[in-house]
Amino acid sequence: MLSPNYLQHIADGSEEIASQLHTYIIRQIIDRMMIRIGRGDDYLLTSSDRWRIQILQDAGYLLEDITAELSKITKRQEKEIKAAMEEAGIKALEYDDKIYQAAGLSPMPLTQSPALIRLMERNYRATLGEWKNYTRTTAQSAQRLFINECDMAYNKVMSGATSYTQAVKEAVENVASGGITLVQYRSKNTGDIRNDTIETATARAVRTGIAQATAEITLARMVEMKWEVVLVSAHVGARNVGGIPENHELWQGKFYSLPQYGHRFPDFYYSTGYGDITGLCGVNCRHSFGPSDGENNPYDPIDTEENRNQYEKEQRQRTLERRIRKTKREVMGMQEAVDKCKDESVKFEMQLDLDRKSYLLQRQNKAYNEFCKENDLRTQQERLQIARWNREQAAKARGAARRYQNAKGKEE
């Protein structure tokens, strides 16, 4: 059995690698946009056929660069996912084996069980396969985004719909704020299509893959030992929407029975929805399970009202964290555009936008810290980080925020 906190952070390494890739791609797109559309309106004024050829050539170079980076990133991701999955498998069975040994049984270590190793390898390949699908989709989306934004800027200027300066600013802002999103799945509750960034999709895939891998080896070991009683973990803030199996609050922290070995407690499969994407060990689930004696339960009963309040607070906290990460990406993208822009008038206008966005980031950080303090929540600084956001970048953002604040004060 793995703790909810362990499962919450098990995908941090993979998420960071994916975040680095996302940041790299955004900077590459903006860099190439500044080469193509950031040199002045005289450079932009060319025939539509010639423009299209240039853009397609640039898009090809962009895809080559991204593909080369993907090759390096994927090698790192393979090692990260494999190491995380192996560690989780060993850690899960360490807990389980103590229960079996206390009952006089002698379970085989994971590393000496070919059947359990095959289960781990199958889940590893499936999780890595998802990552590779994400990267292919991301590379294609990046190329499409570059072409669309450059063409949009060109058409706006040629048609007289906007000025050259405004067209370039809008193109940069669209790339920096929107980023690269992946269409993942349709929400079961709302029916809406979910659009996620590659780091969000990666974290969910790795966390789910590891949870399911350890669940399978745990269950296989219980069958091997012919063990009846199962204990499911619990944590404050568990999902509490809908019925079984999507309402995790209903079935967490309780004893169950594997029906093939007894009926001392409720049916494990039916009661928890194990195997369903919304149930135990489903998508993004932080619960785990393991063998138990049916008497000792280390999970104290969780008050449903407390759980509901905590769930709502944590959901709000995550919303604030997503906003901060998004604004940081926008600030980094706009800084890249300012650094690479050759047209001084456009550069000046984009610097003003960068200052305003940096000030917004400052306010978001303040609101986040105040919310956590008021609701007795630990600030999750690791969840506020994005790739390449270092002290130098943070200092630039603070300086830009001060410029905006000072200018705003003078105006008032």
Side-chain angles (χ1 to χ4, degrees):
M1 183 186 292
L2 297 172
S3 72
N5 186 61
Y6 183 89
L7 284 172
Q8 181 179 359
H9 294 287
I10 192 64
D12 287 354
S14 292
E15 185 176 13
E16 172 60 21
I17 292 172
S19 178
Q20 290 173 14
L21 173 63
H22 195 179
T23 302
Y24 169 85
I25 290 173
I26 290 175
R27 294 179 70 162
Q28 283 293 105
I29 293 174
I30 291 177
D31 188 20
R32 290 199 177 274
M33 283 172 59
M34 290 301 98
I35 292 174
R36 185 54 54 198
I37 65 176
R39 297 185 181 183
D41 50 2
D42 291 338
Y43 184 80
L44 194 65
L45 295 172
T46 183
S47 72
S48 59
D49 289 343
R50 183 181 167 199
W51 172 262
R52 191 67 182 172
I53 291 171
Q54 291 172 333
I55 288 299
L56 291 176
Q57 285 176 336
D58 287 347
Y61 297 141
L62 174 66
L63 187 60
E64 285 180 10
D65 289 344
I66 292 174
T67 301
E69 185 70 12
L70 281 175
S71 179
K72 292 187 290 185
I73 289 283
T74 297
K75 289 178 182 177
R76 289 175 54 203
Q77 193 68 281
E78 287 176 356
K79 292 179 182 177
E80 175 64 30
I81 294 174
K82 187 174 184 179
M85 197 162 281
E86 287 177 352
E87 178 192 288
I90 291 170
K91 192 174 183 67
L93 287 190
E94 276 180 1
Y95 173 91
D96 297 354
D97 288 350
K98 290 177 183 177
I99 303 292
Y100 298 131
Q101 289 163 359
L105 301 174
S106 301
M108 184 183 297
L110 173 63
T111 54
Q112 296 177 24
S113 173
L116 297 186
I117 289 175
R118 281 196 296 273
L119 285 176
M120 293 293 291
E121 288 177 344
R122 185 184 69 192
N123 280 277
Y124 164 70
R125 286 194 295 271
T127 304
L128 187 60
E130 279 199 66
W131 157 258
K132 290 181 177 178
N133 286 337
Y134 295 157
T135 59
R136 279 194 293 271
T137 303
T138 299
Q140 294 163 1
S141 297
Q143 191 181 43
R144 254 192 329 270
L145 181 61
F146 170 74
I147 294 172
N148 291 344
E149 290 302 327
C150 286
D151 278 353
M152 184 72 73
Y154 176 84
N155 290 327
K156 284 177 179 177
V157 176
M158 293 299 100
S159 66
T162 62
S163 66
Y164 163 73
T165 299
Q166 185 63 27
V168 175
K169 281 173 55 181
E170 289 176 0
V172 170
E173 188 173 332
N174 288 341
V175 173
S177 63
I180 310 298
T181 57
L182 310 170
V183 177
Q184 290 302 312
Y185 57 85
R186 189 177 296 276
S187 170
K188 186 174 180 180
N189 294 325
T190 65
D192 296 334
I193 295 292
R194 283 288 302 273
N195 293 285
D196 290 326
T197 60
I198 187 172
E199 51 262 52
T200 300
T202 297
R204 181 173 56 242
V206 172
R207 186 179 296 112
T208 303
I210 290 176
Q212 291 178 349
T214 54
E216 286 189 25
I217 64 172
T218 293
L219 198 55
R221 175 57 59 83
M222 292 184 75
V223 171
E224 180 186 324
M225 297 289 111
K226 294 182 171 55
W227 196 270
E228 176 195 351
V229 183
V230 185
L231 174 62
V232 175
S233 67
H235 64 86
V236 174
R239 299 176 208 167
N240 59 3
V241 293
I244 292 176
E246 59 264 29
N247 192 326
H248 295 198
E249 181 186 278
L250 296 177
W251 46 253
Q252 69 171 354
K254 297 177 182 178
F255 296 117
Y256 299 95
S257 289
L258 291 184
Q260 62 266 47
Y261 300 123
H263 303 281
R264 182 177 168 190
F265 298 101
D267 185 306
F268 168 71
Y269 301 102
Y270 175 79
S271 301
T272 66
Y274 177 74
D276 188 289
I277 62 170
T278 63
L280 174 61
C281 299
V283 175
N284 232 18
C285 178
R286 288 193 284 135
H287 291 96
S288 183
F289 65 88
S292 175
D293 58 10
E295 297 177 2
N296 297 299
N297 187 344
Y299 298 102
D300 295 327
I302 295 174
D303 179 79
T304 55
E305 187 62 31
E306 177 195 5
N307 182 76
R308 190 169 293 107
N309 291 335
Q310 187 70 16
Y311 177 79
E312 291 173 356
K313 289 177 184 177
E314 290 182 359
Q315 290 299 102
R316 176 61 180 167
Q317 183 183 23
R318 280 163 176 71
T319 297
L320 296 175
E321 289 163 355
R322 284 194 294 271
R323 288 177 182 172
I324 290 173
R325 290 197 302 270
K326 182 175 184 291
T327 304
K328 281 183 176 180
R329 263 198 309 272
E330 292 172 3
V331 168
M332 287 188 68
M334 295 169 81
Q335 185 67 60
E336 182 79 8
V338 168
D339 292 342
K340 298 293 175 66
C341 187
K342 302 299 182 183
D343 186 283
E344 289 302 321
S345 61
V346 176
K347 189 169 187 173
F348 175 77
E349 292 294 329
M350 287 198 298
Q351 182 66 62
L352 294 179
D353 285 346
L354 173 59
D355 293 352
R356 177 181 56 80
K357 188 66 69 172
S358 298
Y359 180 66
L360 173 62
L361 175 61
Q362 187 180 80
R363 289 175 57 196
Q364 287 176 336
N365 277 316
K366 181 181 179 182
Y368 174 75
N369 289 326
E370 288 176 351
F371 177 81
C372 291
K373 185 176 181 180
E374 289 169 3
N375 292 280
D376 198 26
L377 294 170
R378 185 174 70 86
T379 57
Q380 305 283 349
Q381 294 301 320
E382 67 279 3
R383 294 208 298 249
L384 299 178
Q385 292 301 313
I386 65 169
R388 298 180 183 271
W389 185 270
N390 51 28
R391 290 183 179 179
E392 181 183 356
Q393 185 67 52
K396 284 183 178 179
R398 286 195 298 271
R402 279 195 298 271
R403 279 196 301 273
Y404 179 84
Q405 199 167 9
N406 292 337
K408 188 179 179 184
K410 287 178 181 178
E411 288 176 4
E412 291 175 351

